[in-house]
Amino acid sequence: MTGPATAGNAGAAEQSAPTPGALSQLIQEALDKGDSYQRLADRAIDPDSGETVSKPYLQRIVKNPPANPPTPHMMSAIAASLGKPFERIQAAVAKQWLLYEATELAGYDEEVRIIVGHLAGKSKAELVKWRYMIEAEERARRESEQ
């Protein structure tokens, strides 16, 4: 929470505290639920490589994140520590370090994921065309089921 700025520091009122990153928040949530950095570090072992993540590294992610993101083995260790799927940690790392937010497509096969990835670079007009084709297919499927 920021207080009112004094006359000598008028720009301070416009500054806000930095928003914690997505991975920082996941670790903080575990701490808020009663875990400790040490217990998290004790569980932070990548099942494939055996690589671990230390208590100081976990503290740094929350309090003063490093410039570089964790490696894939470190992400796997953090996933084991937090009891979350690797993909959840990977998405949090992408959001925190790359400012990239992935959208999960649940319940679809790989073909649909490929189509969505293909549409990512399309123009607005091309996206509208694809949307109409998809909606037409959905209407035809619903009508055929009646």
Side-chain angles (χ1 to χ4, degrees):
M1 184 158 106
T2 59
T6 62
N9 193 9
E14 295 176 18
Q15 295 176 353
S16 61
T19 304
L23 183 59
S24 301
Q25 288 176 334
L26 289 177
I27 295 169
Q28 186 61 55
E29 287 171 10
L31 296 169
D32 292 345
K33 291 179 182 173
D35 248 323
S36 69
Y37 283 113
Q38 188 59 58
R39 284 194 302 265
L40 292 174
D42 290 344
R43 294 191 307 256
I45 303 168
D46 175 23
D48 295 329
S49 70
E51 186 169 339
T52 62
V53 174
S54 68
K55 173 184 170 183
Y57 184 78
L58 292 169
Q59 289 172 321
R60 204 165 36 144
I61 288 175
V62 173
K63 296 177 189 224
N64 186 20
N68 294 321
T71 66
H73 290 299
M74 293 168 81
M75 287 189 285
S76 182
I78 293 168
S81 172
L82 297 175
K84 302 214 178 278
F86 174 81
E87 292 77 15
R88 177 69 182 98
I89 302 306
Q90 188 178 39
V93 167
K95 186 173 183 181
Q96 182 162 338
W97 275 270
L98 303 175
L99 305 177
Y100 174 80
E101 191 162 356
T103 301
E104 178 63 29
L105 294 174
Y108 295 99
D109 62 12
E110 190 60 31
E111 188 172 299
V112 170
R113 293 175 196 275
I114 291 169
I115 291 169
V116 171
H118 175 73
L119 293 176
K122 299 292 183 188
S123 70
K124 178 77 171 164
E126 290 173 306
L127 291 174
V128 169
K129 181 177 80 171
W130 274 89
R131 188 182 82 221
Y132 287 149
M133 289 189 309
I134 292 167
E135 288 172 351
E137 190 280 331
E138 283 292 316
R139 274 192 307 277
R141 184 181 54 79
R142 282 193 305 271
E143 289 172 3
S144 69
E145 291 175 352
Q146 294 177 357

